[in-house]
Structure formats: structure tokens, C-alpha cells
């Protein structure tokens, strides 16, 4: 498996991206997966699985890796933000080896964790001081203020049509959306992701395609795929991350590459991009502030 889509599989791609399929995820599935994505705490998970067979095996793998011959200078210049995290691709293994070690279809949450990760080794991305607590606290206050403004407006315009009230509310909402996004930038929480929801019979091919493109510096800074869990669902979530949601050119570049890889079709159902700040603030579809949960839709960006 080299991670690329074989031309003979083009019919399978069309099938999994058709509007009749769940490749792009229905609203319930998307809401469930988004909540799963934000509540995972790797430190807590690790502390509960220190003595698992997988952890012991991973420890042995590190010993073997340490005994390997020194890598060539060209490889040594690569950087892996997730190096040492055995639920992620390591610099010393090929994409094929990574996919064989952690196949998304059968890797289980109980032993691997909820996500399998791959980082772009060609970026110079380093850990930043992400103020998640500050975002949640200050962002929560902004949302409380917006809720109060909305209530006041509705009381003042009682008896007016819903459309009239919405028209008056939208400029107020826009101001708060801009303030929240600015807050996210101030707190160094600028990442965002394109989201795919392939069915289980397509997740192996989709993830292999995404993983290879990330490693080859063709997509964003990271990607992840959900592992198998006991919850009865035929859908998996694949997230392809970009560094900065405000960099529309880069967001669009990644989308175009996904389209070239056969994972997004202009004429089919759209996929959506969501900034991580909205995920941390629990701004999902149908929220009480009427804030649109996604920042970009593939149908809009590909039409530009």
C-alpha cells in the first residue's frame, strides 16, 4: 500500500463520495465526532494504560529504534511534533510501515487511544503556548454577552416577524464572531480542520491517501483518523489540519489537494472546515447563538 488511489478504484471513490452515501457525515454523526475530538485528554488516557500490552510493546519498539543506525543527515533535518507518541507515525518508519502498524479499520480505542495521528515532517511547527483555559473563559463570557444581547433584541422587537428580528440580530452576531476569532488568535489557537466522514469500508483507503499526502508535504500540518470503538457506528472521522484558519489561501490549497486526490468532488455534497476554537467553545450546528459552526464549505471555496 503506497497511500495513493489506484485508477481502478475510481468507481469506489465516486461511490463513497456520492450524495446518497454518508461519506460527508450527517448532522448527528458530525456532532458526536466533534465532541469526541475535543474531550480526549492524552495525559489522562496514558496514565490509565501504563501497564497495557500495547504500552509495553511500544516501549520495546523505542528501545529497538534507539539501537538503529544513525539516520542520514537529510532525514535528521525532518521534524515530527508527534515523535514518541506511538499512536502517531514516527520518523524512523515509512508510511507503509505506519499503516501496517496502526490500521484504522481494526486499531481499537481501548489499546491505541481514540485517534491515530500523522504530522507533516517538513514543517518547522513547534509547540506554542496555547491558552485553552483563557479561550474557554473569555470566549464563554463573550457568548454570554451575545446571548443577553439576543434576548434584549427579541424582547424589544416582540411581535415582529422572525425574518425581521434575524436581520437586526445578524450585525450584532457578526461583531461577536469577529471578537471570538480575534480572541482565538490572541490565545494561539489558530488551527482548524477539513472534516471527512468515510464509512468503514472506505476508511483504510481514505486514510492511506491522506497520510501519504501529509508526509509528502502536500496537505496541512497534521491529520488524524478515529480508531475503532465499541460504539455502533459505521462512520469514521478524518480531520486534515491547517495551521491558521485565517490563512484562506492555505485552507483553499489543502482543499484543492483533497479534491485532486479524489476525496472531494466539486459536484457532490460539500465538506466543511471548522476552526478548533469553535470546537473548544462547543459551537456545534444549531447552537443557541445561531453562529455557523463551520467557517468554510468546499462548495464555496472551490467555486472561487
Amino acid at each position: 500500500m503506497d497511500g495513493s488511489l489506484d485508477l481502478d478504484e475510481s468507481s469506489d471513490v465516486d461511490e463513497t463520495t456520492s450524495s446518497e452515501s454518508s461519506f460527508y457525515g450527517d448532522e448527528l454523526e458530525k456532532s458526536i465526532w466533534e465532541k469526541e475530538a475535543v474531550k480526549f485528554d492524552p495525559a489522562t488516557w496514558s496514565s490509565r494504560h501504563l501497564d497495557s500490552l500495547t504500552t509495553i510493546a511500544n516501549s520495546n519498539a523505542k528501545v529497538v529504534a534507539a539501537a538503529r543506525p544513525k539516520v542520514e543527515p537529510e532525514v535528521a533535518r525532518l521534524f515530527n511534533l508527534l515523535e514518541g507518541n506511538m499512536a502517531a507515525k514516527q520518523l524512523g518508519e515509512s508510511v507503509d510501515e505506519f499503516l501496517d502498524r496502526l490500521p484504522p479499520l481494526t486499531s481499537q480505542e481501548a489499546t491505541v487511544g481514540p485517534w491515530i495521528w500523522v504530522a507533516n515532517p517538513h514543517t518547522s511547527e513547534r509547540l506554542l503556548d496555547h491558552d485553552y483555559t483563557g479561550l474557554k473563559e473569555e470566549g464563554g463570557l463573550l457568548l454570554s454577552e451575545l446571548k443577553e444581547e439576543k434576548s434584549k433584541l427579541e424582547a424589544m422587537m416582540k411581535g415582529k416577524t422572525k425574518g425581521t428580528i434575524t436581520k437586526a440580530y445578524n450585525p450584532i452576531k457578526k461583531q461577536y464572531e469577529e471578537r471570538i476569532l480575534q480572541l482565538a488568535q490572541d490565545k494561539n489557537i489558530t488551527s482548524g480542520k477539513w472534516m471527512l466522514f468515510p464509512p468503514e469500508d472506505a476508511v483504510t483507503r481514505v486514510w492511506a491517501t491522506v497520510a501519504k499526502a501529509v508526509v509528502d508535504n502536500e496537505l496541512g500540518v497534521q491529520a488524524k483518523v478515529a480508531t475503532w470503538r465499541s460504539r455502533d457506528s459505521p462512520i469514521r472521522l478524518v480531520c486534515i489540519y491547517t495551521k491558521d484558519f485565517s490563512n484562506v489561501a492555505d485552507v483553499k490549497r489543502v482543499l484543492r489537494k483533497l479534491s485532486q486526490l479524489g476525496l472531494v468532488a466539486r459536484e457532490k455534497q460539500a465538506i466543511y472546515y471548522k476552526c478548533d476554537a469553535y470546537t473548544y467553545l462547543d459551537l456545534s450546528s444549531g447552537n443557541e447563538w445561531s453562529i455557523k459552526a463551520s467557517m468554510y464549505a468546499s462548495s464555496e471555496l472551490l467555486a472561487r
Side-chain angles (χ1 to χ4, degrees):
M1 181 187 303
D2 63 2
S4 60
L5 290 179
D6 190 277
L7 291 177
D8 293 335
E9 296 179 332
S10 59
S11 59
D12 294 333
V13 174
D14 289 340
E15 181 180 342
T16 58
T17 57
S18 69
S19 58
E20 289 78 17
S21 75
S22 55
F23 186 84
Y24 298 96
D26 58 31
E27 291 304 319
L28 177 60
E29 285 289 347
K30 287 190 280 189
S31 177
I32 292 173
W33 279 117
E34 287 171 10
K35 290 178 180 178
E36 291 285 348
V38 74
K39 74 181 183 180
F40 174 56
D41 180 358
T44 301
W45 184 89
S46 296
S47 68
R48 294 175 180 172
H49 295 75
L50 286 177
D51 298 323
S52 71
L53 291 175
T54 299
T55 303
I56 295 172
N58 288 340
S59 178
N60 292 338
K62 291 180 182 179
V63 173
V64 173
R68 287 175 178 170
K70 195 171 182 180
V71 295
E72 294 298 322
E74 181 180 355
V75 177
R77 286 196 296 270
L78 300 178
F79 172 74
N80 184 8
L81 183 65
L82 303 173
E83 193 73 10
N85 178 351
M86 299 310 291
K89 182 190 176 301
Q90 304 297 291
L91 285 177
E93 63 183 346
S94 68
V95 174
D96 285 350
E97 290 170 338
F98 164 62
L99 295 171
D100 288 340
R101 179 170 65 86
L102 293 170
L105 186 62
T106 56
S107 294
Q108 299 189 18
E109 178 184 19
T111 52
V112 176
W115 304 103
I116 298 171
W117 295 83
V118 61
N120 184 339
H122 301 277
T123 65
S124 58
E125 182 74 11
R126 300 294 190 271
L127 288 173
L128 298 176
D129 184 16
H130 302 294
D131 187 2
Y132 299 108
T133 300
L135 173 72
K136 290 180 180 180
E137 291 179 351
E138 296 177 43
L141 289 175
L142 288 174
L143 290 173
S144 295
E145 289 179 16
L146 178 57
K147 183 177 180 179
E148 186 175 345
E149 291 285 345
K150 188 171 183 279
S151 297
K152 288 180 180 178
L153 181 67
E154 289 171 341
M156 184 176 64
M157 300 185 70
K158 187 176 182 180
K160 301 289 186 181
T161 64
K162 183 177 179 180
T164 301
I165 297 174
T166 299
K167 187 175 181 180
Y169 172 65
N170 282 341
I172 301 173
K173 180 182 67 173
K174 182 175 176 57
Q175 291 178 6
Y176 277 87
E177 288 173 341
E178 292 173 350
R179 291 173 67 183
I180 289 172
L181 293 178
Q182 183 58 57
L183 174 66
Q185 292 178 309
D186 294 341
K187 302 300 182 182
N188 284 326
I189 303 173
T190 61
S191 57
K193 65 266 185 182
W194 285 107
M195 297 178 290
L196 299 173
F197 296 86
E200 287 197 331
D201 60 0
V203 69
T204 297
R205 182 179 67 251
V206 170
W207 177 240
T209 303
V210 168
K212 184 178 187 300
V214 169
V215 171
D216 288 345
N217 198 25
E218 295 177 336
L219 288 175
V221 292
Q222 291 183 31
K224 69 181 180 183
V225 61
T227 53
W228 183 90
R229 57 200 66 186
S230 57
R231 181 174 71 82
D232 184 21
S233 172
I235 302 300
R236 299 293 182 89
L237 172 60
V238 176
C239 295
I240 301 95
Y241 287 84
T242 72
K243 182 178 180 180
D244 187 350
F245 60 75
S246 67
N247 188 343
V248 181
D250 187 54
V251 171
K252 187 174 181 179
R253 177 192 65 79
V254 171
L255 173 62
R256 287 194 177 280
K257 186 60 185 180
L258 289 172
S259 180
Q260 292 171 9
L261 291 170
L263 301 179
V264 181
R266 186 191 299 264
E267 68 278 6
K268 303 293 184 180
Q269 186 178 347
I271 66 168
Y272 296 92
Y273 180 98
K274 185 173 184 179
C275 66
D276 284 346
Y278 276 14
T279 300
Y280 283 108
L281 292 174
D282 200 24
L283 286 173
S284 55
S285 300
N287 59 79
E288 61 183 302
W289 304 275
S290 300
I291 293 176
K292 190 176 179 181
S294 59
M295 291 189 68
Y296 309 112
S298 61
S299 55
E300 296 173 358
L301 288 191
L302 290 176
R304 294 182 186 178

